[in-house]
């Protein structure tokens, strides 16, 4: 009965798999190969050094610092983005008047959806340039200018945003300011994602709950969130990748790409410095491979933890 | 409710897609590391003659990449015309970009451009290029006859130009712009107020209250790019501690940062910050330069490309002039040395397909006609003798004046070109010192530690300078 299926599938998949292997898997393997050499990146001169680069990685202070900064983003970016996106999606879809049987969003929710989704339309560089003006550290910056007008900030002492390495809750202030941009630019997309998922939850579930006297709080935590489990889990994995990257924001927004004085250094910025400024491509490749392994382990762990029975309705 | 667990085609595909997703963030980074096999080098060789010392072949093409930054790229088109006047049958494919490393580095090991102006924030690390054998030594260019005749190309270059382009005993980088660094001020304003530009920090500290009384900040600098404040710090160190102290620093000599004169040179900067003589806020180069043009600050320290970079927004009646960096006064070991040197380097990749034409193009760039056009179009001196003689401009004239009175020794710092780690560390620490988060003594300690770390690291190729 299933004659020829295997052949059909193979024929169908040969081209995409071929492209995938050539453009994704092969460079990946190449990088792993280079990570075992002392290649400098500008010539074809290289020497096999075994696992030296990986051993060096463990005693590299800068990498350790960068690692913890990445861990900070890994925890905060998904947490804040998902919390904000869920909150907005709930308001826009089922947060409206709860006395009515018809479950709906707050007044003007269609308009808000467009507004909140807007950052997603902009490229990250446009976002970064825009935030440079918002964060500008003198009276011409948007935030500083407004706060100076109303007298909350003195002209002599503007908020320095991404130039501020002083710790706030044990983490350099610059990382919190970057986090704000990351959450702002990501929340809109996940709001739309969660909205779509919420709309697929049958209305009668909510109606039954409301008849039973459930308020907004209970409908959210007892019905919406459990039924969104799959979507939230996917969002979490995605945001985890973004948090491990963060490269564009750090590169465009911070002084000396990882500054001030290494306060916003992340894996990718150290990798970039090692490869392109120091000319140690072999070592940089080792960092890349280590990051890839870490990412894969993390995603596997994440998918395993959230694996549950799937509810179908 | 039901639980789906059997592995069917759909879940297989889904898992394959998920596996693809997993590697995406890493691959973006990793693909930057991937290279490819080099191709064989085929050089076009034609007849060599006095007029064609490298044997450029008719009908060949030369690819030139220009950094389009503070100096623009209009001058390069003039060089192209000069080149083509002598070699009408050689095609010059010229392009300009701000992303030199992004665009050129991936091609260096295979098919690079013939002439690469390696400059700007996104430049390729020169010592790596030299160590890797990725760029061509250009000693034969120095020995070649000058474009208009009368001596060799080397004879036409300003002092320091050959030294600035020499690494490990060979000449690799043709720095075409001659830059003078110093403190800029608006001489129209200074004349009106009766202020004299200070020569020492003491004079500056005496003038500062008068400037503040006018509602201006005495000083502004680029707080985003660490190399801007570092120029000023290192110039003060050179003036105060003398040339030998900086040579020792560059050569990673033990305790070089603790030499006599270095700490006091940094303490005046600490005082400048502590006394709040700097415009509040953190501005980048163009923002700080604009703040200076807008009259928010009296002095800004930057190189002679300033006028060209800000040409569009200079207010009427504003007269830009450059003065020498301030020294400490009587204790200075080299009070009159000016910070100047050749910059904006052009390199020829070792694997360039048409090296003969590349060198010939560089000869055209260094020609009298080419460098006069360069000075005229960029308001910046070229690194050839006499390039700025016929240009009427207050900024260029003041730079010329400064150079005329300068002693033979020019302030020149090498460690940041030698070692990327020390480069980054010194930029970071300069920013920290200027932000008031670091004292002069801490700066010295941390720089010494960074130097010791580089000295001990066997994976870093060491370099030295004699003069």
């Amino acid at each position: 009965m299933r004659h020829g299926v295997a052949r059909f599938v193979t024929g169908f998949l040969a081209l995409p798999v071929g492209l995938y292997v050539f453009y994704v898997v092969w460079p990946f393997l190449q990088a792993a190969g280079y990570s075992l050499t002392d290649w400098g990146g500008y010539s074809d001169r290289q020497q096999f050094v075994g696992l030296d680069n990986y051993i060096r990685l463990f005693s590299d202070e800068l990498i350790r610092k960068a690692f913890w900064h990445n861990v900070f983003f890994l925890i905060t970016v998904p947490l804040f983005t998902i919390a904000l996106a869920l909150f907005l999606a709930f308001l826009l879809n089922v947060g409206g008047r709860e006395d009515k049987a018809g479950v709906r969003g707050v007044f003007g929710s269609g308009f808000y959806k467009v507004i909140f989704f807007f950052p997603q339309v902009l490229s990250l560089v446009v976002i970064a340039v825009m935030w440079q003006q918002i964060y500008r550290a003198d009276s011409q910056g948007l935030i500083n200018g407004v706060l100076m007008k109303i007298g909350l900030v003195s002209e002599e002492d503007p908020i320095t945003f991404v130039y501020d390495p002083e710790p706030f809750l044990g983490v350099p202030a610059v990382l919190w300011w970057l986090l704000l941009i990351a959450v702002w630019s990501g929340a809109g997309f996940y709001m739309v994602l969660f909205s779509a998922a919420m709309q697929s939850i049958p209305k009668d579930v909510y109606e039954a709950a409301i008849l039973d006297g459930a308020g907004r709080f209970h409908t959210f935590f007892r019905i919406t969130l459990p039924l969104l489990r799959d979507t939230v889990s996917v969002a979490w994995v995605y945001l985890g990748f973004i948090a491990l990257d963060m490269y564009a924001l750090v590169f465009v927004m911070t002084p000396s790409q990882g500054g001030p004085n290494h306060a916003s250094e992340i894996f990718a910025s150290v990798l970039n410095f090692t490869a392109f400024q120091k000319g140690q491509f072999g070592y940089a490749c080792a960092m890349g491979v280590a990051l890839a392994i870490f990412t894969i382990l993390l995603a596997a762990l994440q998918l395993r933890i959230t694996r549950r029975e799937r509810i179908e309705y | 409710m039901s639980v789906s667990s059997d592995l069917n085609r759909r879940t297989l595909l889904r898992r394959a897609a998920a596996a693809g997703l997993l590697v995406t963030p890493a691959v973006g980074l990793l693909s930057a590391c991937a290279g490819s096999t080099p191709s064989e080098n085929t050089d076009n060789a034609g007849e060599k003659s006095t007029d064609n010392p490298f044997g450029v072949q008719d009908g060949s093409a030369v690819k030139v990449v220009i950094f389009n930054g503070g100096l623009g790229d209009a001058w390069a088109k003039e060089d192209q015309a000069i080149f083509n006047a002598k070699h009408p049958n050689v095609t010059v494919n010229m392009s300009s970009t701000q992303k030199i490393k992004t665009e050129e580095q991936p091609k260096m090991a295979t098919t690079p451009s013939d002439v690469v102006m390696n400059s700007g924030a996104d430049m390729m690390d020169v010592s790596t290029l030299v160590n890797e054998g990725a760029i061509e030594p250009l000693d034969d260019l120095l020995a070649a006859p000058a474009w208009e005749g009368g001596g060799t190309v080397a004879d036409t270059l300003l002092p320091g130009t050959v030294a600035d382009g020499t690494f490990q005993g060979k000449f690799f980088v043709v720095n075409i712009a001659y830059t003078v660094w110093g403190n800029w001020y608006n001489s129209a304003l200074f004349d009106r107020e009766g202020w004299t530009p200070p020569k020492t920090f003491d004079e500056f500290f005496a003038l500062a209250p008068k400037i503040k009384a006018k509602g201006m900040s005495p000083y502004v600098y680029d707080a985003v790019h660490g190399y801007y404040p570092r120029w000023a710090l290192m110039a003060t160190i050179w003036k105060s501690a003398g040339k030998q102290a900086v040579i020792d620093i560059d050569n990673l000599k033990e305790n070089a940062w603790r030499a006599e004169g270095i700490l006091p040179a940094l303490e005046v900067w600490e005082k400048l910050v502590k006394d709040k003589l700097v415009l509040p806020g953190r501005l980048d180069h163009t923002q700080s330069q604009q703040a200076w043009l807008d009259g928010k600050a009296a002095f800004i320290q930057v190189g002679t490309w300033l006028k060209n970079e800000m040409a569009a927004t200079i207010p009427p009646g504003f007269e830009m002039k450059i003065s020498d960096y301030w020294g400490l006064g009587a204790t200075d070991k080299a009070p009159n040395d000016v910070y100047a040197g050749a910059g904006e380097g052009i390199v020829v990749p070792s694997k360039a397909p048409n090296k003969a034409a590349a060198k010939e193009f560089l000869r055209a760039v260094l020609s009298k006609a080419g460098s006069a056009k360069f000075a005229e179009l960029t308001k910046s001196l070229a690194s050839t003798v006499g390039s700025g003689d016929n240009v009427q401009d207050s900024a260029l004239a003041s730079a010329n004046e400064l150079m005329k009175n300068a002693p033979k020794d020019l302030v020149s710092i090498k460690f940041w070109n030698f070692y990327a780690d020390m480069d980054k560390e010194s930029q970071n620490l300069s920013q920290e010192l200027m932000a008031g988060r670091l004292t002069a003594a801490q700066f010295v300690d941390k720089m010494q530690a960074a130097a010791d770390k580089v000295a001990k690291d066997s994976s870093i190729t060491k370099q030295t300078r004699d003069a």
Side-chain angles (χ1 to χ4, degrees), chain A residues 2 5 9 13 20 23-24 27-28 30-31 34 38-45 56 61 133 136-140 155-158 160 163-166 237-238 241 244-245 247 251 254-262 265 268-269 271 273 276-281 284-285 288-289 291-292 295-296 299-300 303 309-312, chain B residues 1-4 9 13-16 18-27 29-36 38 99 101 105 108-109 121-125 128-134 212 223-226 276 279-284 287 291 294 296 351 420-421 423-425 427-429 431-432 437-438 446 453 457 459-460:
Chain A
R2 293 169 71 95
V5 168
V9 170
L13 286 182
Y20 184 78
Y23 283 110
V24 179
F28 199 20
Q30 263 191 319
Y34 286 131
D38 64 352
W39 188 43
Y42 292 86
S43 70
D44 42 3
R45 246 189 262 161
R56 235 175 106 187
E61 244 173 86
Q133 298 310 310
R136 188 176 156 153
D138 72 348
S139 58
Q140 286 181 46
E155 289 246 9
E156 293 299 304
D157 194 17
T160 49
Y163 309 112
D164 186 2
E166 300 296 335
V237 173
Y238 260 120
F241 297 154
L244 279 179
D245 188 358
Y247 178 66
F251 195 81
T254 65
S256 313
Q257 279 100 43
N261 203 13
H262 303 304
E265 212 75 73
S269 67
L271 194 159
F273 174 71
F276 295 102
Q277 243 103 60
K278 286 174 76 169
Q280 298 179 338
F281 269 67
C285 284
V289 171
L291 178 61
T295 316
I296 291 167
L303 289 174
E309 288 186 353
R310 182 159 294 142
I311 299 166
E312 286 178 9
Chain B
M1 286 185 200
S2 76
V3 183
S4 52
R9 196 165 62 235
L13 284 176
R14 199 156 51 216
R15 282 183 196 171
L21 267 180
L22 294 181
V23 290
T24 21
V27 162
L29 297 168
L30 288 171
S31 57
C33 299
S36 50
K99 295 265 162 228
K101 183 169 60 195
Q105 187 273 335
M108 287 302 279
D122 190 42
M123 64 181 275
M124 298 180 280
D125 181 51
T128 306
L129 287 174
V130 173
N131 291 340
E132 290 270 294
K212 274 195 142 179
V224 173
H225 304 97
K276 294 197 183 297
L279 186 73
R282 299 271 185 282
L283 303 177
D284 70 11
Q287 290 167 350
D294 291 342
K296 288 182 187 162
K351 292 208 152 67
D421 287 294
D423 179 26
K424 181 134 187 172
E425 198 64 11
Q427 290 193 36
N428 280 339
L429 296 178
Q431 284 171 327
E432 292 298 291
R437 287 191 291 262
L438 215 58
K446 284 175 188 274
K453 204 170 156 200
D457 191 337
S459 75
I460 297 171

Side-chain angles (χ1 to χ4, degrees), chain A residues 143-225:
Chain A
I143 299 178
N144 268 316
V146 170
L147 292 180
M148 279 173 195
K149 281 262 152 54
I150 57 176
L152 282 180
V153 166
S154 123
E155 289 246 9
E156 293 299 304
D157 194 17
I159 308 173
T160 49
F161 300 103
V162 289
Y163 309 112
D164 186 2
E166 300 296 335
F168 174 73
L169 300 181
V171 177
V174 44
L175 295 185
W176 291 102
W177 293 115
L178 292 178
L179 173 68
L180 181 66
I181 307 177
V183 171
W184 173 86
S185 61
F189 174 79
Y190 293 97
M191 180 205 68
V192 170
L193 183 74
F194 294 150
S195 288
M198 278 180 196
Q199 271 156 13
S200 73
I201 300 173
K203 291 251 172 2
D204 42 358
V205 179
Y206 284 109
E207 285 161 7
I210 292 172
L211 280 179
D212 284 345
R216 273 207 191 86
F217 183 83
H218 285 285
T219 39
F220 180 75
F221 282 99
R222 296 284 167 79
I223 296 172
T224 314
L225 198 52

